[in-house]
Amino acid sequence: MTGVSETPLWRKVQSFSGVTPRSRHGHRAVAIRELIIIFGGGNEGIAEDLHVYNTVTKQWFLPAVRGDIPPGCAAHGFVCEGTRILVFGGMVEFGKYTNNLYELQASRWLWKKLRPRPPANGLPPCARIAHSFTLVGNRCYLFGGLVNDSEEPNGNIPRYMDDFYQLDLQPSSGARCWSIPETKGGRPAARESHTAVAYAGRGSPKLFIFGGMQGRRLDDLWQLDLDSMVWSSPLTKGPRPLARSLHSANIMGNKMFIFGGWVPYSEPAKTKGAEWICTNSLHALNLDTMSWQDLSPEEPAQGHPKPQDKPPQLELEESHPGGPKPRAGHSSTAIGSRMYIWSGRDGYRKSWSYQVCCKDLWYLETDRPAVPEAVLLVKSTVKMIHVTWRPLAAAECYILQIQPVSTQSAQSGADTQSGAAPSTGPGGHQGTTQDSSSGVKSCDPLGDTAGEKEVAGAQRVAVADEGVAMEVSNGCSAPQEGRSSEGPTQEETDERHYSLGQTASTQSALDHIPAQPPPVGTVPSAGEHSKDPKSPTQQGQSEDDVWFDVGVFKVLFSEVTHYYLPADEDQETMATTSRPNNTTERKLPGPQDYEGRERQELAPGHCYRLRVAGVNTVGQGDFSPVAEFRTCLPGFPGAPSAVKITKASDSVHITWEAPPSPSGRITEYSMYLAVRKGRSGTSERPGQMNFIRVYRGTKTSCTVGAAHLDNAHIDSSASNRPAMVFRIAAKNEQGYGPATQIRWIQDTGKPRASSARLDPPAESHKDGADSSG
């Protein structure tokens, strides 16, 4: 990726579904992967519900929270660490502020009130609103805010604060204690409704505070070096934003984006002094060069919208050429290279006696989509490869490309893998991955992840009573009957695990070893591959340089039966590997781009490489790592399905169902477990796993005891979610069919119960949930 675009593009979300929260201001929002979690705020009363927006499916939902549910509040602190959210302070009713601290475990939607120890050198923070609450590592930093010194129940005597606190967090849940750090240098003046963000791009981590209110709006910028604890006011270049409060600040890349808020407006001919108005101005501060950049819309004037004679109530839902309408007290959330703006108070004149809140949702597109993880295989047939991929938060659509692999290249890869070194050519982990360890329960009616709802025909995971977290993948390899060794042998399989996007290598050389786990991503050798009549190598081109488009997709899967040939035979590829980072909005590609193109069908028993890239209005992102799959040869059984794991005290019981397409009578099943090292004692190469067979028989169930589990390899290659890896394959008269791979999610190296999808019942979370973020 090339960094943030010089001209970010505003986009309005035109339609969404689900339970939409009512408009408000003073609310807060955080992000957990592709989810935006919104809490609090006020508009005709303080909102109490917790709302979640899925940026991939464009759905709102209300999670079923439980535990110590906090009262609704506004102008509170709201931060997120992994799947843990912390709430501090805020207004619970007019004039009544709080200093309570709550924790939400979003993996279970469980609230808990925390009671950290007070500082050793002072009092804990008092009740307040409009403070900043910033997460840095395992600590939160609290600065400033507004307190009410009135002793009357309905009184309000405001006082601005300049105190600074540190909150030390426990590793996965809870908070240890408050402390009052000793800082050096000058410090920011007391204020409220400011912003604070953390950045650690170059050198030590720093806390940046901008703007706020202290009887007047402020435009000063402060930084705190969190290693030396020295405050300073850095020198900046470029046009500094106007003084403001109730604005938002987000870090994306190496820039801090400042949007909206209340700013001064003075029109001497019509007023006797300055007025305060809402703005839709956008500024970015490069935190490496400390240079400001004004990205505000050209009309109205940057930061100076023209006051209107009446409130713009009738225009709130209309699109605005310069992005969101002016607002303050909104929420702003960064997800990848996008910044989402929702609701907030709209209006131009402070003198209006009532408030108008926006109902719209916008995002700022600052860059091309990130590099996706490699595609995963749901299943393959004789003439079809069904693949899926994980969503990108900043992608509007996806372009999928394919490359036929010549017989020579495929054989070379197999020869390499049978030797001491892994193949340099990537291959693929075949199967549909049920990302059931994501740690956040979805409360949409279908209860699926964004990817699962789009993958037609994908295998669903049957979950044990304890909610065991696992990821299941159906392979398409079929080891032939041949050299069979009895009992659980342990031979090196020089394979690169490919669950959730890791590069992989095919394992044709292992197809004849039934005692080994069926290799994922291969089919039994059946002589020469089918010749592609238009194979790139037959045209004098290097096959590594030529890719063909499968199509452009709004969904997260494709049943690939063909690909498109270039209109011009001299054209090497229909889509470039990486398009430039555009500075103006581009037209998204679509099916119309392939009208009239000649199609090439997939051939049986042939090997293909696939890759995917995200596309948005800024441009096309880089392609994913390459995955390599084969179409099947007829006659072999499919992969076992409906895998279910039940945890016992010192063992696990695994059940499955027969393949949906057995292609004859199933004669036996084999179950394999990845173990820590081979008998030779050689060290493992990155991505390599060694397997032993732990079951062989005709039953559709087996129990794996402690002796095997103690020696299990904990694979952390898939999105940093540690897991034990099992494989199960079926055999008929022709031989072994494709393997189903199961990743059993672990916690600190011990078998654990966890969420196997985003919204299981609360009772299934007896041992906690995966808190990886």
PDB file of all heavy atoms in Angstrom, residues 18 122 154 213 299 429 578:
ATOM      1  N   GLY A  18     -31.506  -3.461   9.467  1.00  0.00           N
ATOM      2  CA  GLY A  18     -31.415  -3.743  10.883  1.00  0.00           C
ATOM      3  C   GLY A  18     -32.031  -2.664  11.748  1.00  0.00           C
ATOM      4  O   GLY A  18     -32.694  -1.735  11.270  1.00  0.00           O
ATOM      5  N   GLY A 122      -2.739  10.032  45.609  1.00  0.00           N
ATOM      6  CA  GLY A 122      -3.828  10.993  45.483  1.00  0.00           C
ATOM      7  C   GLY A 122      -5.175  10.313  45.425  1.00  0.00           C
ATOM      8  O   GLY A 122      -5.307   9.105  45.655  1.00  0.00           O
ATOM      9  N   ASN A 154     -30.286  19.779  41.201  1.00  0.00           N
ATOM     10  CA  ASN A 154     -30.512  20.262  39.843  1.00  0.00           C
ATOM     11  C   ASN A 154     -29.591  21.417  39.481  1.00  0.00           C
ATOM     12  O   ASN A 154     -29.802  22.091  38.468  1.00  0.00           O
ATOM     13  CB  ASN A 154     -31.974  20.696  39.670  1.00  0.00           C
ATOM     14  CG  ASN A 154     -32.937  19.532  39.846  1.00  0.00           C
ATOM     15  OD1 ASN A 154     -32.652  18.415  39.416  1.00  0.00           O
ATOM     16  ND2 ASN A 154     -34.080  19.794  40.481  1.00  0.00           N
ATOM     17  N   MET A 213     -12.455  23.151  24.852  1.00  0.00           N
ATOM     18  CA  MET A 213     -13.224  24.309  25.322  1.00  0.00           C
ATOM     19  C   MET A 213     -12.786  24.683  26.729  1.00  0.00           C
ATOM     20  O   MET A 213     -12.649  23.821  27.598  1.00  0.00           O
ATOM     21  CB  MET A 213     -14.712  23.944  25.322  1.00  0.00           C
ATOM     22  CG  MET A 213     -15.623  25.034  25.813  1.00  0.00           C
ATOM     23  SD  MET A 213     -15.769  26.369  24.603  1.00  0.00           S
ATOM     24  CE  MET A 213     -17.074  27.342  25.351  1.00  0.00           C
ATOM     25  N   GLU A 299     -16.523  24.369  -1.289  1.00  0.00           N
ATOM     26  CA  GLU A 299     -17.708  25.191  -1.073  1.00  0.00           C
ATOM     27  C   GLU A 299     -18.627  24.471  -0.097  1.00  0.00           C
ATOM     28  O   GLU A 299     -18.941  23.285  -0.311  1.00  0.00           O
ATOM     29  CB  GLU A 299     -18.454  25.430  -2.390  1.00  0.00           C
ATOM     30  CG  GLU A 299     -17.662  26.286  -3.359  1.00  0.00           C
ATOM     31  CD  GLU A 299     -18.446  26.551  -4.632  1.00  0.00           C
ATOM     32  OE1 GLU A 299     -19.623  26.095  -4.703  1.00  0.00           O
ATOM     33  OE2 GLU A 299     -17.922  27.206  -5.525  1.00  0.00           O
ATOM     34  N   HIS A 429      -4.746 -24.056   0.764  1.00  0.00           N
ATOM     35  CA  HIS A 429      -5.474 -24.861   1.740  1.00  0.00           C
ATOM     36  C   HIS A 429      -6.901 -24.929   1.258  1.00  0.00           C
ATOM     37  O   HIS A 429      -7.572 -23.923   1.148  1.00  0.00           O
ATOM     38  CB  HIS A 429      -5.404 -24.198   3.097  1.00  0.00           C
ATOM     39  CG  HIS A 429      -6.274 -24.854   4.089  1.00  0.00           C
ATOM     40  ND1 HIS A 429      -5.918 -25.982   4.749  1.00  0.00           N
ATOM     41  CD2 HIS A 429      -7.511 -24.538   4.529  1.00  0.00           C
ATOM     42  CE1 HIS A 429      -6.881 -26.325   5.569  1.00  0.00           C
ATOM     43  NE2 HIS A 429      -7.859 -25.462   5.446  1.00  0.00           N
ATOM     44  N   SER A 578      -1.347  -4.206  -9.778  1.00  0.00           N
ATOM     45  CA  SER A 578      -1.601  -3.132  -8.817  1.00  0.00           C
ATOM     46  C   SER A 578      -1.866  -1.849  -9.567  1.00  0.00           C
ATOM     47  O   SER A 578      -0.996  -1.364 -10.278  1.00  0.00           O
ATOM     48  CB  SER A 578      -0.411  -2.958  -7.866  1.00  0.00           C
ATOM     49  OG  SER A 578      -0.624  -1.879  -6.998  1.00  0.00           O
TER      50      SER A 578
END
